[in-house]
Amino acid sequence: MTSPLIYVESCPICGDGLCRIRICVTNQRLTGLVLCDECEAMWTDPSMQERIESSSSETEPSCPTCNQSLWGEQSHWASIGEVCLLGWFDRVRIAKV
Amino acid sequence: MVSRKRTDSAINTLRMIPTKWAIVLVVLLIGYVLLQPRINQWLGWNLPSVASLVGDEKPTTKKEPKPTKEVVSKEKTSEKVSGNVAEKTSEKKSEVAQATTTKTANRTSDSGPKDSAPKNSAPKNSAPKDSAPKDSADDRIHGILKDLGRNRFESPEGLVYGPGSEEGHRLKHIERHLEDQPSRPGPHGVFDGDMKEFLVAIDRAFAMANKGAKGSSKKEDEGAVVYEATFEKPIGFLGGSDGKRRKNPALKKMRVVVRGKSVITAFPVQ
Ligand SMILES: [Zn+2]
Ligand SMILES: [Zn+2]
């Protein structure tokens, strides 16, 4: 069975990535944000109005809450349940890949 | 045996209630049987099946529960959701949060991300040394990359490929662009060649954009620089669902996203 791929839209920065919902959980705090799976550009939420900045010295995107890498073990792509919890379900698209 | 007794007592109970209520109960039961697996799948819940309730089957338990899913779906305590942060007030600690304490630990981790994207079976950070061919003369990876140590490799133009990305290493990440992913939503640039040719083309695009060659550009974006260069001949084709819909047109442009000297990603674009 294939899992759904949850995304907001194609990335306006790199043109090839998908802006997907990334979850980071540390100290019982769940942070949700939008992360391009190609160029790693970040936005605070699916409206994609506000970028999350990262410096050129950082080679991995980091969580704005705990500062850990968003490719770390405490982080993962959001499930549908988590997207609902964040109140973003009506702002994402779901594709079977 | 136990389940048989339970089933009999359920039938006796049904006989005692008015017919119309019995019909309503049966309809609700059928609805539950049909929707239970889907609700579990959609919402990540673990509702027991009817079979397990009457004792024929044990409730399904996830062999490797994702701690964060567990936090979201099984917490009975209140959750504060503000902006993009949902705060848990439960005493129960996330296994993931406990296990991961430092950024360094994350980056050197061997386990892959928990996500819905296709998984790569290779362990994190191991790709270049394990699978990439080395030039025996000077130990260069893919014939052109110099080993800088700590799993970092430098191209002749000074671009660095190191640990990072969902796949664990940037070389593993850009390797995604050597093959089409026709079911992936949107565009997916596919390079037509092998890894060595791809790395050479990335270097060339980077050099052309730096020199301001015709059809090239260099744009800064939040700490990253997006380089783009146009080649004389096609270097690949447009894949993904967009490419499939448009019959995979040939592509002559390369886009390279760089942070400092580190390549984040690179792929052919329209
Ligand atoms: Zn992007
Ligand atoms: Zn975090």
Side-chain angles (χ1 to χ4, degrees):
Chain A
M1 197 179 67
T2 53
S3 339
L5 191 153
I6 303 166
Y7 68 103
V8 180
E9 61 181 51
S10 284
C11 177
I13 307 299
C14 70
D16 206 85
L18 292 173
C19 298
R20 297 164 66 181
I21 310 298
R22 193 76 181 168
I23 299 290
C24 178
V25 185
T26 39
N27 299 324
Q28 303 153 54
R29 245 170 111 89
L30 184 149
T31 302
L33 52 88
V34 177
L35 174 70
C36 170
D37 64 6
E38 199 60 67
C39 73
E40 301 175 354
M42 293 184 281
W43 291 264
T44 54
D45 63 70
S47 70
M48 296 180 61
Q49 297 294 304
E50 199 181 326
R51 289 284 296 276
I52 297 172
E53 289 180 31
S54 45
S55 72
S56 59
S57 60
E58 287 186 58
T59 54
E60 288 192 23
S62 55
C63 168
T65 306
C66 70
N67 217 31
Q68 295 190 76
S69 168
L70 286 170
W71 302 128
E73 280 192 344
Q74 85 297 347
S75 189
H76 58 269
W77 296 120
S79 66
I80 293 173
E82 287 163 332
V83 171
C84 292
L85 178 69
L86 289 158
W88 294 349
F89 184 73
D90 58 347
R91 292 149 89 181
V92 298
R93 299 178 218 190
I94 299 169
K96 292 273 180 192
V97 290
Chain B
M1 308 308 134
V2 176
S3 66
R4 178 70 185 265
K5 277 183 190 168
R6 281 191 195 172
T7 314
D8 290 346
S9 68
I11 291 166
N12 288 337
T13 310
L14 275 175
R15 278 183 191 141
M16 287 162 66
I17 57 176
T19 315
K20 67 177 181 181
W21 286 111
I23 291 168
V24 169
L25 276 175
V26 169
V27 168
L28 285 173
L29 188 66
I30 292 168
Y32 182 82
V33 168
L34 293 174
L35 288 174
Q36 176 260 340
R38 283 171 184 240
I39 290 171
N40 283 352
Q41 184 191 336
W42 289 337
L43 299 178
W45 292 356
N46 192 24
L47 294 172
S49 67
V50 171
S52 74
L53 287 173
V54 297
D56 285 349
E57 188 187 286
K58 285 182 181 175
T60 52
T61 50
K62 288 170 192 166
K63 284 179 183 169
E64 288 176 19
K66 292 178 182 176
T68 44
K69 260 193 180 176
E70 206 173 345
V71 166
V72 171
S73 59
K74 292 185 181 173
E75 293 285 340
K76 287 174 185 168
T77 47
S78 62
E79 289 158 347
K80 276 194 279 172
V81 181
S82 60
N84 62 340
V85 177
E87 195 170 333
K88 313 289 171 183
T89 54
S90 162
E91 288 298 308
K92 188 179 169 189
K93 279 199 169 187
S94 155
E95 288 169 30
V96 170
Q98 284 177 319
T100 313
T101 51
T102 66
K103 204 162 180 173
T104 318
N106 293 337
R107 287 178 181 174
T108 52
S109 163
D110 274 341
S111 53
K114 295 161 181 65
D115 69 310
S116 58
K119 303 265 182 201
N120 211 314
S121 56
K124 269 195 162 190
N125 300 350
S126 66
K129 280 182 177 169
D130 291 350
S131 61
K134 281 187 178 182
D135 188 304
S136 56
D138 58 2
D139 231 23
R140 283 182 186 250
I141 305 289
H142 294 295
I144 67 160
L145 299 182
K146 192 167 100 187
D147 193 342
L148 299 176
R150 292 186 295 135
N151 229 358
R152 294 163 76 247
F153 307 92
E154 189 184 41
S155 76
E157 289 292 335
L159 290 173
V160 174
Y161 298 85
S165 84
E166 186 180 0
E167 290 76 12
H169 200 281
R170 300 293 173 188
L171 287 172
K172 204 76 196 161
H173 179 74
I174 63 166
E175 214 175 73
R176 296 200 317 181
H177 293 282
L178 294 181
E179 272 182 28
D180 192 9
Q181 296 178 4
S183 61
R184 181 177 158 88
H188 176 71
V190 184
F191 182 78
D192 191 8
D194 62 17
M195 193 62 173
K196 181 179 179 178
E197 291 164 329
F198 191 21
L199 292 168
V200 169
I202 292 167
D203 249 21
R204 199 164 154 226
F206 177 68
M208 283 197 282
N210 268 328
K211 281 179 203 154
K214 192 184 169 194
S216 74
S217 63
K218 183 180 167 182
K219 286 177 197 155
E220 292 200 22
D221 178 83
E222 301 278 355
V225 183
V226 183
Y227 296 88
E228 206 172 282
T230 309
F231 289 69
E232 311 80 56
K233 291 177 182 173
I235 53 166
F237 64 88
L238 185 67
S241 64
D242 280 10
K244 191 178 174 185
R245 200 179 60 245
R246 295 169 52 193
K247 295 179 182 167
N248 305 113
L251 301 177
K252 287 170 114 178
K253 264 188 194 171
M254 178 82 85
R255 191 170 287 160
V256 188
V257 182
V258 177
R259 273 186 184 275
K261 285 279 176 187
S262 300
V263 173
I264 300 300
T265 188
F267 43 83
V269 285
Q270 193 132 44

